């Protein structure tokens, strides 16, 4: 999975999967709903009209089937999460995002509610996007960038830069010897879904060592904790 190349070898957790193309998945969902709701097609057309785009052809078709979610960095004070999503057409996806933000803000303005902002900045030849909101009185930020067929999203630009550096330096989780050593005995790296955990950085952040006292027996038990685990699933 190429998305794992943007996750560092020190990540605390990662979940990756490859699924059917989103457009085809959406077709299945729409067909299932439409079979039981005769008004669904009319409602979908209204939604598309409100958004100014076609959810299936403009949004879902722009996405690929590979997704990785990871906890990759400090847990406190804010978890350093990231999402890496395969993209077939970054230009079309950005147009769709622009339309969704504009539609949301039009409704927010009518309801006299906080709007969201979408800004972009050029850094070293790359375009970084930032979405900010004050919805519910809570300040939130989502940063993202398109790179080599993926959309990388995180709560700060610094985490995006770290992800890009991880990819460029070849020090990613996917290339880590300790990570690959966790694979099943057949050593096949091709899987449709993967769940990985590494408790080491999380325990360090929580100052786990403070709970280990001078008692030699408790120290021995702590040293034997299985901090890294992986679960791989393969489709047929």
């Amino acid at each position: 999975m190429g998305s794992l190349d943007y996750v560092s070898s020190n990540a605390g957790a990662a979940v990756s999967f490859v699924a059917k193309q989103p457009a085809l998945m959406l077709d299945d969902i729409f067909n299932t709903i439409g079979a039981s709701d005769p008004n669904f097609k009319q409602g979908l057309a209204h939604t598309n009209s409100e958004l100014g785009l076609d959810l299936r052809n403009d949004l879902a078709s722009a996405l690929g089937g590979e997704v990785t979610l990871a906890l990759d960095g400090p847990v406190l004070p804010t978890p350093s999460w990231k999402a890496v999503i395969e993209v077939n057409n970054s230009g079309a996806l950005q147009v769709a995002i622009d339309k969704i933000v504009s539609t949301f803000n039009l409704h927010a303005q009518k309801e006299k509610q906080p709007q969201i902002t979408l800004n972009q900045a050029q850094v070293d030849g790359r375009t970084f996007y930032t979405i900010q909101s004050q919805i519910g009185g809570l300040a939130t930020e989502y940063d993202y960038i398109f790179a080599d067929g993926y959309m990388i999203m995180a709560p700060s630009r610094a985490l995006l830069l770290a992800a890009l550096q991880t990819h460029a330096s070849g020090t990613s989780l996917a290339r880590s010897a300790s990570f690959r050593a966790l694979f099943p005995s057949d050593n096949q790296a091709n899987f449709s879904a993967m769940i990985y955990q590494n408790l080491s950085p999380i325990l360090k952040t929580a100052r786990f060592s403070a709970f280990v006292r001078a008692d030699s027996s408790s120290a021995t038990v702590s040293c034997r904790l299985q901090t890294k685990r992986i679960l791989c699933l393969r489709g047929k």
Side-chain angles (χ1 to χ4, degrees), residues 33-156:
I33 298 175
S36 59
D37 183 357
N39 298 318
F40 174 72
K41 288 187 177 180
Q42 181 179 353
L44 178 61
H46 177 73
T47 299
N48 286 338
S49 177
E50 285 282 309
L51 292 175
L53 57 83
D54 187 302
L55 288 174
R56 197 271 185 201
N57 296 320
D58 296 334
L59 182 60
S61 292
L63 299 172
E66 181 184 343
V67 176
T68 287
L69 304 174
L71 184 60
D72 192 4
V75 179
L76 301 174
T78 302
S80 300
W81 61 267
K82 70 175 61 168
V84 186
I85 305 166
E86 185 181 13
V87 175
N88 296 326
N89 189 333
S90 60
L93 179 57
Q94 185 54 46
V95 169
I97 293 173
D98 288 336
K99 290 181 178 180
I100 292 173
V101 170
S102 296
T103 301
F104 178 90
N105 284 339
L106 283 175
H107 285 282
Q109 186 176 22
K110 292 179 182 179
E111 299 294 330
K112 296 183 179 180
Q113 296 295 320
Q115 299 182 35
I116 60 179
T117 61
L118 172 59
N119 298 311
Q120 64 182 68
Q122 294 290 326
V123 179
D124 296 331
R126 293 183 178 273
T127 303
F128 289 82
Y129 299 88
T130 301
I131 297 175
Q132 294 175 311
S133 76
Q134 294 284 342
I135 298 175
L138 179 65
T140 56
E141 177 177 329
Y142 303 95
D143 295 80
Y144 66 93
I145 187 173
F146 298 106
D148 299 322
Y150 292 96
M151 176 186 186
I152 311 163
M153 179 176 285
S156 72

Side-chain angles (χ1 to χ4, degrees), residues 147-213:
D148 299 322
Y150 292 96
M151 176 186 186
I152 311 163
M153 179 176 285
S156 72
R157 187 182 299 175
L159 289 173
L160 295 183
L161 291 170
L164 294 173
Q165 177 59 31
T166 294
H167 180 270
S169 64
T171 57
S172 67
L173 180 63
R175 300 177 185 275
S176 167
S178 62
F179 170 71
R180 299 182 73 85
L182 297 172
F183 287 167
S185 56
D186 59 10
N187 203 33
Q188 292 295 318
N190 297 318
F191 41 80
S192 56
M194 182 277 301
I195 301 174
Y196 168 79
Q197 73 168 27
N198 176 13
L199 296 179
S200 296
I202 299 175
L203 295 179
K204 288 179 181 178
T205 302
R207 299 185 182 277
F208 181 77
S209 59
F211 295 94
V212 181
R213 302 304 181 187

Side-chain angles (χ1 to χ4, degrees), residues 19-36:
K20 183 189 294 187
Q21 289 292 319
L24 298 179
M25 293 176 63
L26 205 59
D27 286 341
D28 291 341
I29 294 172
F30 286 171
N31 289 334
T32 299
I33 298 175
S36 59

